[in-house]
């Protein structure tokens, strides 16, 4: 789950595209806090870029000082929430390739056939992939298809044809923006409509013509002067090209296979003041509250309902749903937790202990709201249970007598594969666990979940005024059901666990080194800092010094001949599947800089 943007001004002599994109990054910061970037194009086709790890305020400096280094009348922006790949600075977007035509690319989503694409790019297209990001794969697939034209200059038909061929190769869920140097901006969306993308227009403030802007959420456009009536959704399988000084040109580059927006956008990720695919996020969350109240009335006994003294939301997403629960149950509503707004979303944090500490930093319970009361806590969802357990503990420490915990979403039991890295199935608290076991684990008296059918209805009934809900519309709900809207290869989940393990590896190494440096390291941290770590086939991370099952230390030369043959065959299979790893003898760097363009984000001075 990332945030993407694209903007083109009617007047090609303007130089303020970066300023508006910079402001839009703050409006979509909730979609990605790991890294961000902006690339612009000025007259003459020259591309300028600034990107790096961190919040927009860090990358562009609090006063936006770096924006002055990004002249241009058009540009694209990106906010990264890490999914497949690592968190290195080199993977901050937008990505750039110089051939053909100078292409800049921003991607929100996830490709579930990335290993296959990497193999094609290596052995057939002869294009080098320098990061672990599937976004770079997709850009190079697009670039390779566009290069097939053999033309010095391309037109919109060439681009649409190249996109159509790219869609035939790529599998997954995505929404993307792109820019061709001196040509214009492009936006497109997967054929299932999983990831969101909207397009808005407004009259130019500097002469005739219209300005156009694309974004993951409508709120970014509305805050920059684009009226809701002039904002439309890019449809599944649809692409749009906007050349400088021209109106948008649309094309159905792949037949619509479904209309299934990711329901987690409405549950958690999107801002409540956004409208996505014609559905009001705020209204959908209100509906979730009313339907959850109906479920509570059925699941809880009359005595349990009677003894609830107050309904308290867990900030911030459930702030919209909880008052509706309280109203329908005819119970008092109160804000019992105060949120520190300057702390990251805790489920993004790399380790269990870090997430537990993060909850305490993020929330503070007001004792007067909990003391000697039976409380009903409302949250948007329960992922690992780490946050939920800490919150229940905080409520009891503040004096709560009984704690009932209700989730606006159904139990999350499966991996998310379209760009939201919630957790591995084994880490999900609801994976193969019933509500009573979950309640015991988090310390609540009872846990109640929304029904999936009610969640889907809550969103479907939140269609904005004047918008018709299409008959073929449904939602991507694979995290709740295990049934995904796209075909999924049987080996993909094992690959996903391996990638997740590699992504976490550097963060755990860094944490161990810091623990050693400040004197708080335990035996495991010392082991990791000294000997390093490795990722097992299932994605588990263990110290590199871990013993093998026979009890012998896994040191050089301590392998039987059969073991050597097995490892050789394993490496061969990885090469053939496009998953060949770096030489294990080469240490992973802490970070790497982008090599595509001079990048201001690489420097702190």
């Amino acid at each position: 789950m990332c945030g993407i943007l694209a903007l083109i001004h009617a007047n090609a002599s303007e130089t303020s595209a970066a300023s508006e994109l910079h402001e839009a990054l703050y409006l979509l910061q909730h979609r990605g806090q790991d890294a961000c970037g902006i690339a612009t194009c000025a007259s003459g086709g020259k591309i300028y870029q600034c990107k790096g790890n961190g919040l927009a305020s860090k990358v562009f400096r609090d006063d936006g000082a770096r924006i002055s280094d990004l002249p241009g009348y058009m540009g694209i922006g990106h906010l990264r929430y890490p999914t497949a790949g690592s968190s290195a600075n080199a993977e901050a977007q937008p990505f750039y390739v110089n051939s053909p035509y100078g292409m800049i690319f921003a991607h929100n989503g996830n490709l579930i056939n990335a290993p296959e694409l990497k193999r094609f790019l290596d052995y057939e297209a002869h294009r080098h992939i320098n990061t672990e990001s599937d976004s770079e794969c997709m850009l190079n697939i697009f670039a390779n298809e566009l290069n097939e034209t053999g033309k010095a200059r391309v037109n919109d038909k060439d681009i649409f044809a190249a996109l159509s061929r790219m869609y035939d190769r790529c599998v997954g869920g995505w929404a993307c923006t792109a820019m061709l140097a001196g040509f214009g901006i492009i936006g497109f969306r997967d054929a299932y409509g999983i990831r969101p993308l909207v397009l808005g227009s407004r009259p130019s403030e500097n002469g005739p013509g219209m300005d156009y802007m694309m974004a993951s959420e409508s709120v970014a456009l509305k805050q920059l002067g684009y009226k809701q009536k002039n904002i439309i959704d890019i449809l599944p399988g649809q692409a749009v090209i906007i050349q400088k000084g021209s109106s948008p040109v649309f094309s159905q580059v792949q037949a619509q296979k479904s209309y299934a927006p990711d329901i987690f956008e409405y549950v958690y990720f999107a801002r409540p003041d956004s409208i996505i695919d014609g559905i009001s996020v705020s209204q959908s969350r209100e509906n979730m509250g009313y339907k959850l109240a109906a479920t509570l009335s059925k699941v809880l006994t009359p005595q349990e309902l009677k003894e609830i003294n107050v309904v308290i939301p867990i900030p911030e997403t459930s702030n919209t749903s909880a008052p509706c629960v309280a109203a329908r149950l005819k119970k008092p509503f109160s804000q019992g937790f105060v949120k520190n707004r300057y702390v990251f979303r805790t489920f993004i944090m790399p380790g269990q202990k870090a997430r537990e500490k993060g909850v305490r930093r993020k929330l503070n319970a007001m004792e007067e709201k909990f003391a000697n009361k039976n409380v009903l806590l409302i949250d948007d969802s329960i992922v690992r249970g780490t946050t939920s357990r800490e919150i229940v503990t905080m409520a009891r420490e503040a004096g709560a007598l009984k704690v009932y915990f209700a989730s606006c979403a159904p139990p999350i039991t499966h991996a998310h594969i379209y760009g939201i890295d919630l957790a591995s199935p084994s880490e999900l608290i609801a994976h193969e666990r019933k509500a009573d076991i979950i309640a015991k684990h988090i310390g609540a008296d009872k846990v109640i979940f929304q029904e999936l059918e009610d969640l889907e209805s809550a969103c479907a009934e939140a269609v904005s005024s004047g918008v018709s809900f299409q008959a073929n519309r449904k939602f991507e709900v694979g995290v709740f059901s295990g049934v995904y809207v796209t075909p999924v290869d049987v080996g993909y989940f094992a690959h996903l666990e391996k990638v997740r393990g590699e992504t976490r590896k550097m963060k755990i190494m860094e944490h161990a080194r810091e623990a050693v440096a400040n004197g708080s390291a335990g035996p495991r941290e010392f082991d990791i800092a000294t000997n390093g770590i490795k990722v097992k086939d299932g994605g588990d991370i263990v110290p590199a010094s871990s013993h093998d099952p026979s009890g012998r230390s896994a040191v050089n030369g301590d392998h039987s001949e059969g073991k050597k043959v097995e490892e050789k065959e394993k490496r061969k299979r990885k090469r053939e599947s496009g998953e060949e790893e770096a030489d294990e003898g080469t240490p992973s760097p802490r970070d790497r800089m982008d090599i595509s363009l001079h990048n201001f984000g690489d420097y702190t001075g």
Side-chain angles (χ1 to χ4, degrees), residues 125-146:
H126 310 305
R127 283 182 168 267
H128 176 67
I129 302 300
N130 200 55
T131 72
E132 301 303 316
S133 173
D134 59 347
S135 304
E136 189 187 10
C137 282
M138 194 173 198
L139 167 59
N140 277 273
I141 294 289
F142 181 21
N144 183 68
E145 297 298 341
L146 193 56

Side-chain angles (χ1 to χ4, degrees), residues 39-49 69-74 96 101-102 104 179-183 597:
T40 60
C41 183
S43 57
K46 182 161 286 190
I47 294 171
Y48 300 85
Q49 176 180 266
D69 295 315
L70 302 171
Y73 63 95
M74 66 175 177
Y96 166 79
Y101 316 117
I104 289 282
M179 179 173 65
L180 262 62
F183 180 87
L597 284 175

Side-chain angles (χ1 to χ4, degrees), residues 331-347:
K331 297 290 183 180
F333 170 79
S334 180
Q335 293 281 358
F337 291 101
V338 177
K339 182 177 180 181
N340 178 357
R341 297 177 182 272
Y342 304 98
V343 176
F344 294 126
R345 286 176 163 176
T346 52
F347 82 80

Side-chain angles (χ1 to χ4, degrees), residues 99-101 143-154 158 162 165:
S99 176
Y101 316 117
N144 183 68
E145 297 298 341
L146 193 56
N147 197 47
E148 292 297 314
T149 64
K151 294 182 177 179
R153 297 289 183 269
V154 289
D158 297 322
R165 295 192 297 272

Side-chain angles (χ1 to χ4, degrees), residues 292 295 382 405-407 409-412 430 434-435 438 447-451:
L292 180 59
T295 298
I382 304 176
F405 200 105
S407 167
I412 299 172
K434 300 295 185 182
I438 296 171
V447 168
I448 304 93
F449 289 99
Q450 183 91 265
E451 296 292 333

